[in-house]
């Protein structure tokens, strides 16, 4: 049986009691908010500010579940990135290219899209794009990612990216792992061709590990589409 504590005191004293009781609650609230901010920051990639793998996966699953056939999962892999890292600008130039790529992907996806850095020079995007606009929007993305990047000292670094995409209506599933597998296979089918490849059902059957193509062949050679 619940009990009720009645405080018989003048109004001023009651206010003091209420304030005193509220202080620990306020402290816990501030602590909880600080913890939430730390957890949110931990889900972000420190270099690019993009979502990390776990944060991206959670948001991407929400997008594919909500938008169904209008959801598009895109995987992006920078071409010849090692050459940028090993070039005159070194890792500073590589970091600049990664940061600019993240900014471009975020702008392309819009505020409702999910953009994540999976690791190294690999990125993923989940966004709502209807079937009629996919080819146009993917072509826009490849052009955007191919623009040179200005690094320290004003030098321009030529960059390019391989892009693969998969959609629920074509693949026949809203499962994010399956969509990423298909997008990854499509990306490597068009490696170094300068165009995005939209996956069909055959791409979803390629063996994979955690949604990525097993063995990841084709990373140092032209893809099948070339």
């Amino acid at each position: 049986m619940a009990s009720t504590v009645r405080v018989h005191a003048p109004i001023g004293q009651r206010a003091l009691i209420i304030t005193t009781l509220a202080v620990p609650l306020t402290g816990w609230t501030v602590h909880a908010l600080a913890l939430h901010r730390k957890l949110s920051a931990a889900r972000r990639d420190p270099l690019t500010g993009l979502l990390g793998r776990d944060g991206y996966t959670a948001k991407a699953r929400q997008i594919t579940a909500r938008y169904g056939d209008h959801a598009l999962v895109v995987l992006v892999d920078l071409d010849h990135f090692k050459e940028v890292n090993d070039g005159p600008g070194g890792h500073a130039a590589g970091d600049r290219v990664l940061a600019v790529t993240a900014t471009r992907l975020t702008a392309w996806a819009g505020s409702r899209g999910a953009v994540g850095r999976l690791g190294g020079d690999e990125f993923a995007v989940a966004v709502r794009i209807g079937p009629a606009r996919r080819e146009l929007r993917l072509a826009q993305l490849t052009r955007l990612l191919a623009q040179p990047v200005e690094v320290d000292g004003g030098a321009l670094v030529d960059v390019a990216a391989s892009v693969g995409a998969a959609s629920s209506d074509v693949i026949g599933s809203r499962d994010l792992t399956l969509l990423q597998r298909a997008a990854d296979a499509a990306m490597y089918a068009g490696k170094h061709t300068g165009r995005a490849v939209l996956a069909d059902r055959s791409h979803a059957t390629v063996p994979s590990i955690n949604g990525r193509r097993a063995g990841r062949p084709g990373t140092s050679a032209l893809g099948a589409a070339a």
Side-chain angles (χ1 to χ4, degrees):
M1 180 176 180
S3 60
T4 303
V5 178
R6 296 184 180 276
V7 179
H8 299 284
I11 295 176
Q13 292 182 12
R14 288 203 299 271
L16 178 60
I17 292 171
I18 292 172
T19 302
T20 302
L21 292 173
V23 168
L25 295 177
T26 303
W28 277 110
T29 301
V30 172
H31 174 72
L33 290 174
L35 180 60
H36 176 73
R37 284 194 292 268
K38 289 181 179 179
L39 289 174
S40 297
R43 294 162 68 91
R44 295 274 175 181
D45 173 59
L47 174 63
T48 63
L50 297 180
L51 293 168
R53 184 182 293 271
D54 292 342
Y56 162 77
T57 299
K59 189 170 182 180
R61 282 176 175 158
Q62 293 175 355
I63 291 174
T64 56
R66 180 174 183 180
Y67 297 118
D69 291 350
H70 286 260
L72 189 69
V73 174
V74 183
L75 291 188
V76 174
D77 189 88
L78 296 182
D79 296 338
H80 310 298
F81 181 71
K82 187 176 184 301
E83 296 176 10
V84 176
N85 259 342
D86 295 342
H91 290 291
D95 289 349
R96 173 64 177 166
V97 169
L98 292 174
V100 171
T101 299
T103 299
R104 291 172 176 176
L105 289 172
T106 300
W108 181 81
S111 60
R112 296 185 179 181
V115 185
R117 183 185 178 196
L118 301 183
D121 59 335
E122 301 170 347
F123 301 86
V125 182
V127 66
R128 180 185 182 184
I129 300 177
R133 301 179 62 238
R134 285 174 190 155
E135 291 188 5
L136 174 63
R137 294 281 279 122
L138 287 172
Q140 291 173 341
L141 177 60
T142 55
R143 289 196 299 270
L144 181 63
L145 295 176
Q147 295 178 13
V149 175
E150 183 176 341
V151 297
D152 291 341
L156 292 178
V157 174
D158 289 327
V159 294
S162 296
V163 180
S167 59
S168 299
D169 59 325
V170 175
I171 302 303
S173 172
R174 297 186 183 184
D175 180 74
L176 180 63
T177 299
L178 187 61
L179 291 171
Q180 287 190 168
R181 177 194 306 173
D184 187 67
M187 178 179 68
Y188 278 98
K191 191 71 175 170
H192 304 302
T193 63
R195 66 181 182 87
V197 177
L198 187 61
D200 57 34
R201 292 202 178 194
S202 68
H203 292 106
T205 63
V206 174
S208 68
I209 300 174
N210 295 326
R212 307 306 306 276
R213 186 171 184 173
R216 304 175 65 79
T219 57
S220 60
L222 292 177

